[in-house]
Amino acid sequence: MNYKHIFAQAIDRLHEEGRYRVFIDILRNKGAFPNARCFHGHNGPKPITVWCSNDYLSMGQHPKVVAAMEEALHDVGAGSGGTRNIGGNTHYHVDLEAELADLHGKEGALIFTSGYVSNEATLATLTKLLPGCIIFSDELNHASMIAGIRNSGCEKRIFRHNDVEHLRELLAAEDPDAPKLIAFESVYSMDGDIAPIAEFCDLADEFNALTYLDEVHAVGMYGARGGGISERDDVAHRLTIIEGTLGKAFGVMGGYIAADQMIIDVIRSYAPGFIFTTSLSPVLVAGVLASVRHLKQSSEEREGQQAAAAKLKQMMRDAGLPVMPSVTHIVPLMVGDPVKAKRISDILLAEYGAYVQPINYPTVPRGTERLRFTPGPTHDDAMMRDLVNALVEIWDRLELRKAA
């Protein structure tokens, strides 16, 4: 068996399909985001503007967040010392879980090392404890949710994206007494659309199902206090479990769930992805705690981000660029070809100092490859004009299709 040859063939396939991923070597400039330094493909750092960060509100640069992390570092040191069972339940973790429970109006919350782990561990663990459970999953759910559902060993039913009637048909076809869980997201980050949460909750009530909502692209971003779409639409109290991330709008790292105290205790006690993993550094948790508390009180960042997204969408439409419909902060620009998407990204970075990664399969279906822009409150009008002008020039140079 020639192992090396098999691995080389796997990588060659990605190159041939035009979807081999290149990680750009950059450093962000503290206090000056979206400005950064790029070390990719040349000697020394080159100034660039970042257009694809999930630090949607630039909270990773906020003075309160940085100061809280520095204070924690000098107070307790760098690491957590192990799992929470062995290393102890750092008081920063206790405070943050209380803040997150309050954010979503739930009895408790539980922090994980990432949003991926929180999805995988919770979905796999909870449903294993329900004999005969059937999981109903939106077809566009994130890979972490799919992994959790697969690892649960439960039967699953996939419903068409955001399709309430299809979900109803699937629920009605099953044994009324079988345990059921409906898993879906609020904001789908590649298209920028929003789930009909209230309608899904209506079905859950009708068919006696639990609900699991992934709010990773909405927490911090929507609602009066940043509780997400479920807060904005006043449906958080109807959801069994709300899952979120601490690494996007909150600007640091980690994931969490919020639910009633019994469910929190079950996941804390049974999920291997929680039990056997070193807990987040208290330095990181201190930063998130400052971020969550700030965004509960301040809407300035959310309003600035929404205004920037709306402005960039309109500028792209006015320029004839094929910007996809989106009702959220996501600004997806359709390309439809992985090689061309990578080529556009390369030109933007090398010639214009604008950094945006191409989004290819399996993140999106083949033939729908795109560039995904996430303008934030610190992207100004001049940056947007420069970006749109660059895109128009590249579209013309490569003879790409403009919007109809």
Side-chain angles (χ1 to χ4, degrees):
M1 175 67 69
N2 188 337
Y3 298 108
K4 194 170 184 178
H5 178 67
I6 293 172
F7 297 147
Q9 283 184 318
I11 295 298
D12 287 343
R13 284 195 298 271
L14 296 178
H15 281 291
E16 290 166 4
E17 295 174 17
R19 58 187 187 94
Y20 179 77
R21 296 171 187 258
V22 176
F23 298 160
I24 305 303
D25 185 359
I26 70 171
L27 289 172
R28 303 201 296 175
N29 299 338
K30 183 177 79 73
F33 191 75
N35 296 311
R37 293 154 282 167
C38 177
F39 296 81
H40 181 74
H42 44 76
N43 294 323
K46 170 187 175 182
I48 62 169
T49 302
V50 178
W51 285 100
C52 55
S53 174
N54 284 342
D55 185 359
Y56 295 131
L57 303 180
S58 300
M59 288 304 296
Q61 307 285 313
H62 198 282
K64 288 183 181 179
V65 174
V66 175
M69 295 178 74
E70 289 177 338
E71 181 180 347
L73 178 64
H74 292 290
D75 182 28
V76 301
S80 65
T83 67
R84 289 170 71 175
N85 179 56
I86 292 173
N89 214 24
T90 304
H91 192 65
Y92 288 110
H93 290 72
V94 175
D95 281 348
L96 178 56
E97 286 171 347
E99 288 286 353
L100 293 170
D102 172 76
L103 179 65
H104 296 293
K106 300 297 184 185
E107 291 178 355
L110 192 66
I111 305 169
F112 296 79
T113 51
S114 73
Y116 188 105
V117 175
S118 58
N119 269 336
E120 191 282 328
T122 304
L123 284 167
T125 301
L126 187 71
T127 49
K128 277 181 182 176
L129 295 172
L130 298 171
C133 183
I134 304 168
I135 302 175
F136 299 80
S137 176
D138 189 288
E139 66 177 342
L140 294 188
N141 277 343
H142 190 264
S144 57
M145 301 176 74
I146 295 170
I149 293 166
R150 182 184 299 117
N151 292 340
S152 74
C154 296
E155 289 191 37
K156 64 178 183 293
R157 307 287 183 263
I158 310 301
F159 60 90
R160 290 187 294 270
H161 179 51
N162 283 348
D163 192 326
V164 176
E165 289 309 311
H166 188 219
L167 176 56
R168 169 183 284 281
E169 291 172 13
L170 294 176
L171 287 163
E174 301 299 335
D175 179 353
D177 294 327
K180 304 174 183 67
L181 181 142
I182 305 169
F184 55 100
E185 301 180 37
S186 58
V187 173
Y188 286 82
S189 66
M190 292 302 128
D191 292 339
D193 56 340
I194 294 175
I197 300 174
E199 288 87 342
F200 287 163
C201 288
D202 290 342
L203 291 178
D205 292 343
E206 181 179 349
F207 291 95
N208 193 26
L210 303 176
T211 49
Y212 184 98
L213 175 65
D214 177 320
E215 284 259 46
V216 295
H217 291 280
V219 290
M221 302 290 296
Y222 300 90
R225 301 193 307 157
I229 298 296
S230 58
E231 182 194 15
R232 187 197 72 175
D233 294 352
D234 194 25
V235 291
H237 63 286
R238 302 185 63 189
L239 294 155
T240 311
I241 300 172
I242 297 174
E243 184 268 349
T245 182
L246 309 172
K248 293 183 171 62
F250 292 129
V252 188
M253 181 184 176
Y256 67 92
I257 59 168
D260 68 44
Q261 197 59 54
M262 181 64 72
I263 288 177
I264 295 299
D265 201 19
V266 164
I267 302 304
R268 182 190 70 85
S269 302
Y270 281 90
F274 174 81
I275 296 169
F276 300 108
T277 301
T278 298
S279 63
L280 282 178
S281 161
V283 176
L284 297 171
V285 178
V288 177
L289 187 58
S291 182
V292 171
R293 286 172 171 168
H294 176 79
L295 289 175
K296 279 183 175 181
Q297 304 296 324
S298 173
S299 293
E300 179 181 350
E301 293 82 6
R302 285 187 282 276
E303 292 168 0
Q305 201 284 333
Q306 291 292 332
K311 181 168 290 187
L312 184 60
K313 290 175 196 175
Q314 189 59 53
M315 291 173 71
M316 287 182 172
R317 282 192 290 265
D318 292 344
L321 294 167
V323 61
M324 299 168 63
S326 164
V327 296
T328 63
H329 57 282
I330 308 297
V331 184
L333 193 60
M334 178 58 68
V335 179
D337 179 272
V339 175
K340 291 177 181 176
K342 180 66 167 60
R343 179 67 177 140
I344 298 167
S345 173
D346 288 346
I347 294 174
L348 280 171
L349 184 63
E351 299 183 21
Y352 292 97
Y355 170 49
V356 60
Q357 276 285 47
I359 306 295
N360 297 327
Y361 177 85
T363 307
V364 295
R366 297 181 194 274
T368 67
E369 293 82 3
R370 66 200 66 176
L371 302 176
R372 175 184 175 274
F373 298 88
T374 54
T378 51
H379 287 89
D380 60 33
D381 290 358
M383 292 175 178
M384 293 189 204
R385 283 194 298 271
D386 289 344
L387 173 66
V388 171
N389 290 338
L391 287 166
V392 169
E393 188 279 320
I394 296 169
W395 241 255
D396 291 340
R397 187 196 314 185
L398 301 183
E399 299 181 341
L400 300 173
R401 180 181 299 177
K402 292 282 190 72

